[in-house]
Amino acid sequence: MESIERHALDNILKEEKLLTVNKFLDILSTLDKLGLLDVIQGAINDEELMTKLFSGILNDKALSLLINYKNLGELADLVLNEKTQDKLKFLLELAGTLQHSGVVEPLLGMLKDEDVMGRIISALVNDKTLELMQNWENLLNITLMLTKRETSESLEYFLSFLNELRTSGILDPIRGLLKDEETLGKIISALVNDFTLGLVSNWSDIAKHLSSLDLTGFKGYVDIINAAGKAINDVNYKPIRSVFDILRSLKDPDIQNGLGFLFSVIKELGKMAKEKNAPH
């Protein structure tokens, strides 16, 4: 026991320990001069106050803090990090700006209103929004395509064209036709039939032959068709029953002119046949 006491005394009398003791005594002296020691002593003697202090220190929260001291240390290191402080400063400035702008109060009101929050959540979390999330990449691709200058100009032109059609009143009859199944069926059957399919399948040949037509004489073609149609619709024509009827009809100037025209056509047909049948 004596050796232990001697060892403890030698430890206390070491130079660095004496310096520490002196500093501690200086602190106590300063506290005594300031009157703080009396306050501390009075607080220690007050059992009720000490009970409150201990109950405030030793509670579930304080114990939880002690248990999670390591995590708190890591959190403190994170908060003291310069980059984290810059981010916290930015967030605080943003919060202050939002508060001054008057945006925060309505948001807080919405968050406290269960009915409004329920509607917002139901609007955000539904089949449509979930489907959008699943197709998010496709949606981004479409958005990028729409933001291109060429696409936006084309859309603007197309929308302007639609607006002009609507203003002119053309779209209303078209919409009416689309809603009338019977009329729409007739139009489709008129467009999609053997004749139109034949035109489509032989369009290259038809276009080639049409390009060989002399369009300067197009009016003459129309006149011939109109004359033929008028003759077909004439129910008062007189039938030719004999050679004498032919000779009698030849006295008519119109028939003479018609025969002259026919012989001219026959002559041209003969020239064409001669060219086609000529040896190559």
Side-chain angles (χ1 to χ4, degrees):
M1 182 69 178
E2 184 178 353
S3 61
I4 295 173
E5 291 176 353
R6 189 181 299 109
H7 177 72
L9 183 61
D10 292 338
N11 192 21
I12 293 172
L13 293 175
K14 288 181 180 178
E15 184 177 357
E16 61 272 14
K17 296 294 177 68
L18 289 174
L19 290 173
T20 304
V21 171
N22 287 332
K23 288 181 181 180
F24 180 69
L25 292 174
D26 289 339
I27 292 171
L28 288 177
S29 177
T30 303
L31 292 174
D32 187 30
K33 290 178 182 179
L34 294 173
L36 294 176
L37 286 180
D38 295 333
V39 176
I40 294 171
Q41 187 175 3
I44 293 173
N45 294 330
D46 190 340
E47 294 182 1
E48 184 179 357
L49 179 61
M50 290 302 296
T51 302
K52 290 180 179 180
L53 288 173
F54 279 112
S55 63
I57 295 172
L58 301 176
N59 54 29
D60 293 339
K61 292 181 179 180
L63 293 173
S64 178
L65 286 174
L66 290 173
I67 293 170
N68 295 284
Y69 177 76
K70 183 178 179 181
N71 296 334
L72 288 174
E74 293 177 354
L75 180 62
D77 293 336
L78 178 64
V79 172
L80 293 174
N81 185 276
E82 186 176 352
K83 293 181 179 179
T84 306
Q85 289 179 357
D86 292 338
K87 293 176 182 178
L88 289 173
K89 183 179 178 182
F90 172 76
L91 290 174
L92 291 173
E93 290 177 354
L94 177 62
T97 304
L98 291 174
Q99 186 176 8
H100 289 303
S101 66
V103 176
V104 176
E105 285 76 7
L107 288 175
L108 290 175
M110 289 173 60
L111 293 173
K112 292 178 181 179
D113 191 334
E114 295 181 0
D115 185 25
V116 175
M117 286 303 298
R119 293 180 182 178
I120 293 173
I121 292 172
S122 62
L124 293 175
V125 184
N126 54 35
D127 294 338
K128 291 182 179 179
T129 52
L130 293 175
E131 187 175 354
L132 282 176
M133 294 299 294
Q134 291 174 356
N135 297 282
W136 182 251
E137 186 174 354
N138 295 333
L139 184 62
L140 283 178
N141 291 333
I142 293 172
T143 305
L144 289 173
M145 183 183 69
L146 291 175
T147 53
K148 290 182 179 178
R149 182 178 178 182
E150 298 84 1
T151 308
S152 61
E153 289 178 352
S154 300
L155 282 174
E156 184 179 358
Y157 175 79
F158 180 69
L159 292 174
S160 176
F161 176 67
L162 279 180
N163 187 47
E164 290 176 0
L165 288 177
R166 186 182 64 82
T167 306
S168 65
I170 295 175
L171 285 181
D172 293 331
I174 294 174
R175 290 180 63 187
L177 286 173
L178 293 175
K179 292 179 180 179
D180 189 342
E181 295 181 1
E182 183 179 356
T183 305
L184 188 61
K186 291 180 180 179
I187 293 173
I188 293 173
S189 62
L191 293 175
V192 183
N193 52 37
D194 295 339
F195 177 73
T196 54
L197 292 175
L199 283 176
V200 172
S201 59
N202 298 286
W203 180 250
S204 58
D205 293 335
I206 294 171
K208 180 180 178 181
H209 292 302
L210 286 174
S211 63
S212 64
L213 286 175
D214 183 8
L215 296 178
T216 57
F218 185 75
K219 186 177 183 302
Y221 307 146
V222 175
D223 291 339
I224 293 172
I225 295 171
N226 288 335
K230 185 177 180 181
I232 291 171
N233 293 322
D234 186 8
V235 295
N236 297 320
Y237 68 91
K238 294 179 180 180
I240 302 297
R241 294 187 175 88
S242 64
V243 177
F244 296 104
D245 290 337
I246 295 174
L247 295 174
R248 195 179 299 111
S249 297
L250 288 174
K251 296 178 181 180
D252 190 334
D254 293 333
I255 292 178
Q256 293 172 2
N257 291 330
L259 286 173
F261 175 75
L262 286 176
F263 281 117
S264 176
V265 173
I266 292 170
K267 183 178 179 180
E268 292 297 326
L269 291 174
K271 289 179 181 179
M272 184 179 68
K274 184 179 179 180
E275 291 175 358
K276 287 186 174 293
N277 295 325
H280 297 286

